[in-house]
Amino acid sequence: MSQPSFLTILKRLYINLEENLDEKYIYAFTQPAKLLDYDDANKEIFRSYYEEGKRIKPSMIDNIGPYYSIKAMQMNKQAIDHFRITVMDGQPFDIEDFKNVNSKNIPVLLGYEYKNIYQVGDVIKGKYLFEDINFHIKGFVKENSLVTTARRSELYLDRYIIMPAQHFIYSPVDDASFKFQQKHYLQLINGEIHSSNNGYVVRNKFEAIKKESGFFDTQLLGANNPSYNFVFASINEHIGLLTLIAMSVFIVCAISIFILMLDKVDKNFKNFSVHFISGANLKHIFTYFLAEIIVMVCLPGVVAILFYKFLVDVSFVWYLILMTGCMATIILLTIIPVYNKIRRLEISMFLKRAG
């Protein structure tokens, strides 16, 4: 984590979650801000854990203070849209507010109960993750605006400072800036994926994002029963071995059907005369074997495809193409030698009288 490359990977992971996941990535994270001049009794309701009855003692930072822990929340653009956070006074966040180009000035929205204390355009000086920040008030959100998080089923924003989840375009200039961005991005990747797809689909997309980002030390909670985590981890760890096993099973299956059908041609050799006497020809005999091979191969194949669709449904189109190709290959490998053997048969030899 101390390497500069780690921060680059963190940024890449967050951008991929936001832009390339192809699912709704919701980030709504409560992280208190440190503000001065909140010793007033009228401002006590804005302090962290006020509703729970806790009192967080103010602290001195760099011999300046006391700083008070004030309720604040970061939200990304998808969370703002998802929870339909609307502004009753001032301006909502625009797309540029979620980018930071080397500035300690951050636009914020305030909860409804702040209206009697601040006005649009005011600047609140404070600290966020121990970094000096100027909070520029852009507007006030509608009364009783509500969000839900993994930790809180109902969280009203009336007493919160709402910050945009900013992506820092610039690289840190010193160690303090590096640690600040590192902590900031470690928070940003602790979001939620809201999806109507089943857990297998979400996990498959998430695994692709992890691989593309180069960040592998993650956990996806809630998409599957935890008992499946070991299975998915084992599959990713032994993908080469599983591929070899699958190819071996395919070859054995193809050879088994090939031998079975050739053996059936030999065993039914004497019975062909009955078909020929009834008016059949070599084409009819071949069609009979072809139909039998198709049913033998395609019936279990179709069942496997249906099970995959209803139970897994991950990259179904590619799975369908793979299964169709495997079935077609087995049919071709089996029917070609059968066709060659039937083609060499002479009808006259079946119709001759014995002796």
Side-chain angles (χ1 to χ4, degrees), residues 58-225:
S59 58
M60 303 293 291
I61 302 177
D62 297 329
N63 296 322
I64 301 175
Y67 281 92
Y68 291 83
S69 180
I70 305 301
K71 290 189 286 287
M73 169 173 279
Q74 275 195 88
M75 300 177 70
N76 66 349
K77 181 68 166 58
Q78 295 189 56
I80 295 287
D81 296 337
H82 177 73
F83 294 116
R84 298 179 181 177
I85 304 302
T86 57
V87 174
M88 58 173 294
D89 186 15
Q91 297 294 324
F93 291 139
D94 56 47
I95 193 65
E96 295 301 320
D97 291 331
F98 294 90
K99 301 175 183 177
N100 191 301
V101 286
N102 200 16
S103 174
K104 293 187 177 182
N105 299 315
I106 295 180
V108 296
L109 300 176
L110 299 184
Y112 177 80
E113 295 190 27
Y114 273 102
K115 277 189 65 66
N116 297 326
I117 301 177
Y118 297 107
Q119 295 180 350
V120 174
D122 287 350
V123 178
I124 308 173
K125 294 183 179 295
K127 288 183 179 289
Y128 169 70
L129 295 177
F130 299 98
E131 186 82 359
D132 290 323
I133 298 294
N134 297 321
F135 301 101
H136 288 255
I137 301 174
K138 193 170 185 178
F140 296 86
V141 299
K142 187 179 178 181
E143 185 178 10
N144 293 327
S145 295
L146 175 69
V147 301
T148 59
T149 67
R151 298 177 180 85
R152 298 278 294 274
S153 58
E154 290 185 347
L155 196 154
Y156 289 91
L157 301 178
D158 294 340
R159 298 173 180 176
Y160 275 80
I161 298 174
I162 304 162
M163 304 167 55
Q166 289 192 322
H167 171 53
F168 288 85
I169 308 298
Y170 65 96
S171 300
V173 295
D174 52 32
D175 186 60
S177 179
F178 173 80
K179 290 181 179 179
F180 167 74
Q181 288 196 27
Q182 185 183 74
K183 288 181 285 187
H184 174 74
Y185 277 96
L186 283 171
Q187 289 184 170
L188 292 186
I189 61 174
N190 279 277
E192 302 172 7
I193 299 172
H194 290 217
S195 175
S196 59
N197 293 313
N198 65 43
Y200 294 100
V201 175
V202 175
R203 181 175 291 277
N204 186 61
K205 292 181 179 180
F206 183 66
E207 291 296 327
I209 290 296
K210 285 169 53 178
K211 184 176 181 180
E212 182 180 347
S213 305
F215 190 94
F216 299 99
D217 191 12
T218 62
Q219 286 186 328
L220 184 61
L221 306 178
N224 292 99
N225 188 302

